[in-house]
Amino acid sequence: EAGVTQFPSHSVIEKGQTVTLRCDPISGHDNLYWYRRVMGKEIKFLLHFVKESKQDESGMPNNRFLAERTGGTYSTLKVQPAELEDSGVYFCASSQFGQGNEKLFFGSGTQLSVL
Amino acid sequence: KNEVEQSPQNLTAQEGEFITINCSYSVGISALHWLQQHPGGGIVSLFMLSSGKKKHGRLIATINIQEKHSSLHITASHPRDSAVYICAVNSGGSQGNLIFGKGTKLSVKP
């Protein structure tokens, strides 16, 4: 069974450009999460989807970030326009829907560099 | 100060040594996670704890809710255990709304 996949694995863009990151969760996983690690800092939660609905977007830094999960399958995270401070590693994770103690499965992350 | 603190930040051990990584947190939690990230790799969930102790192979995780402290132990360490170990807590948001520690970088020398 395929794990959580993210692409691209690396993206280098210039300040002001737009970048779209994609996450494919494990098939059948209703929960999908986005996280970000900025260099030198701890990983931070961004948002949580249950199927196609945003359950919790309390971690989204500002309105330059737009996450979607149309059809409740894969998700995209768009940054528009990108700023230097957006550089970091963006992780995605998924889990089955249940009682809240389901195991999280993480992707390998997308390394975003904004120059 | 971060709500989740790990110690040590870096740890070097010789193969075979017993290793302990500590995690202290300052918020009320519903669960605590231990995660592992190998260099260049993705993150793997090792344990999710809400009380007591869990064991998987050479890994043992314990949590003391009253003291707001958890430990991850590795017995008979091996070079393949070299990775960053991350503690994260769920303090009441959605399941994956976690507060992460900065991680402990472990290097096990042969």
Side-chain angles (χ1 to χ4, degrees), chain A residues 34-51:
Chain A
W34 282 99
Y35 305 91
R36 175 173 75 169
R37 174 180 242 159
V38 172
M39 185 177 292
K41 302 272 193 176
E42 65 277 7
I43 299 170
K44 297 279 194 185
F45 166 82
L46 295 179
L47 87 158
H48 169 207
F49 283 100
V50 177
K51 296 186 179 178

Side-chain angles (χ1 to χ4, degrees), chain A residues 5-73:
Chain A
T5 55
Q6 293 186 245
F7 40 95
S9 57
H10 293 81
S11 180
V12 181
I13 61 171
E14 292 188 352
K15 175 182 172 182
Q17 289 186 323
T18 297
V19 62
T20 300
L21 314 180
R22 173 167 167 154
C23 169
D24 285 61
I26 291 173
S27 178
H29 281 192
D30 289 336
N31 290 311
L32 187 149
Y33 307 90
W34 282 99
Y35 305 91
R36 175 173 75 169
R37 174 180 242 159
V38 172
M39 185 177 292
K41 302 272 193 176
E42 65 277 7
I43 299 170
K44 297 279 194 185
F45 166 82
L46 295 179
L47 87 158
H48 169 207
F49 283 100
V50 177
K51 296 186 179 178
E52 68 275 9
S53 299
K54 291 176 186 174
Q55 184 77 13
D56 180 353
E57 50 184 332
S58 60
M60 293 289 266
N62 53 60
N63 60 10
R64 294 185 294 102
F65 288 75
L66 175 64
E68 294 181 321
R69 193 182 181 195
T70 307
T73 54

Side-chain angles (χ1 to χ4, degrees), chain A residues 31 33 35 37 40-45 48 55-56 58 91 95-96 100-109, chain B residues 2 31 33 35 37 40-46 48 84 86 90 93-103:
Chain A
N31 290 311
Y33 307 90
Y35 305 91
R37 174 180 242 159
K41 302 272 193 176
E42 65 277 7
I43 299 170
K44 297 279 194 185
F45 166 82
H48 169 207
Q55 184 77 13
D56 180 353
S58 60
F91 291 99
S95 69
Q96 291 181 320
N101 59 352
E102 292 68 38
K103 184 175 179 179
L104 290 170
F105 294 84
F106 287 81
S108 296
Chain B
N2 197 23
H33 298 250
L35 311 169
Q37 185 179 22
I43 297 171
V44 174
S45 175
L46 298 175
M48 184 168 71
V84 175
I86 303 167
N90 184 315
S94 60
Q95 180 208 0
N97 185 341
L98 302 175
I99 304 170
F100 292 80
K102 289 190 175 182

